[in-house]
């Protein structure tokens, strides 16, 4: 598709802003989707709520114009809906958007008092310019699902060249420079419940402000629908696969054990 046509499709299509949806931690969270047109990510996690990622890449570029995001944001804001936080997430990895920094400062100008958060898989944080773009955020939540390369490859199924070492290097560099709140979010399932000593050691080296323990409660969809960005429920008729989760008891035991090994603060999806 030619660039002009692609741009037109973006402007004719629905919003890059979705929700607000009720988040289990933050109240009404308004999602911002800096990727938008297709699902695009440097991971292809086997539990992803978007289903099979369409573009598995770590290419950083402008995926959607900043003006489109700001326009969409203003529309929702002017509609008077309650918004407690703004979260950059959406149709893939938000730090692949070269203009994410512009979106953050643009929205800050429009709504200076609404906290802005991001959910990132941390694959691009080893790049100084990417970390720089995120400095204005109030909270950065990074994904860390594995403590060894083999488990990382099996769960996150990354783009060529993306390694666990690159992810951890990026998170540590961010921790040194960033003054806001840094959280780690880990998806636990039977596959990665082993090797907890190494996982605890990585956490101790990073020293995040909080660790969120999740388990894949949403089924894996067979198709991508943009509406899956913020929805917890299936709204179209497509096949889904239920995933193996931790039980509430297993999650509680895991939390207690990790607390003891690291001395950090934890939050579990079951609490
Ligand atoms: S990092 Fe997020 S968007 Fe990317 S594949 Fe994993 S769960 Fe999906």
């Amino acid at each position: 598709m030619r660039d002009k046509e692609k741009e037109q499709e973006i402007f004719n299509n629905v919003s890059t802003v979705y929700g607000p949806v009720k988040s289990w931690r933050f109240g009404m969270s308004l999602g911002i989707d800096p990727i938008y047109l297709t699902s695009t990510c440097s991971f292809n996690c086997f539990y992803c709520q978007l289903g099979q990622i369409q573009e598995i890449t770590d290419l950083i570029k402008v995926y959607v114009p900043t003006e489109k995001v700001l326009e969409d944001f203003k529309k929702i804001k002017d509609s008077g809906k309650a918004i407690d936080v703004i979260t950059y997430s959406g149709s893939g990895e938000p730090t692949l958007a070269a203009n994410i920094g512009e979106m953050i400062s643009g929205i800050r100008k429009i709504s200076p008092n609404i906290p802005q958060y991001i959910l990132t898989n941390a694959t691009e944080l080893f790049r100084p310019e990417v970390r720089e773009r995120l400095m204005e955020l109030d909270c950065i939540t990074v994904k860390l699902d594995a403590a060894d390369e083999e488990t990382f490859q099996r769960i996150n199924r990354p783009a060529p060249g993306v390694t666990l070492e690159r992810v951890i290097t990026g998170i540590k560099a961010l921790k040194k420079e960033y003054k806001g709140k840094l959280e780690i979010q880990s998806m636990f399932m039977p596959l990665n419940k082993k090797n907890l000593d190494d996982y605890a050691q990585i956490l101790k080296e990073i020293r995040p402000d909080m660790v969120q323990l999740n388990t894949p409660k949403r089924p894996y969809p067979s198709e991508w629908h943009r509406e899956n960005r913020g929805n917890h429920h299936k709204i179209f008729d497509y096949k889904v696969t239920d995933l193996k989760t931790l039980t509430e008891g297993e999650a509680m035991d895991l939390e207690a054990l990790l607390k003891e090994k690291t001395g950090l603060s934890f939050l579990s999806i079951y609490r």
Side-chain angles (χ1 to χ4, degrees), residues 14 39 118 165 172:
V14 292
S39 64
I118 197 169
E165 193 188 346
K172 286 181 177 170

Side-chain angles (χ1 to χ4, degrees), residues 178-191:
Y178 177 60
K179 302 280 178 273
K181 204 168 171 201
L182 176 67
E183 300 194 344
I184 286 184
Q185 190 177 68
S186 298
M187 193 66 95
F188 272 98
M189 51 218 108
L191 175 62

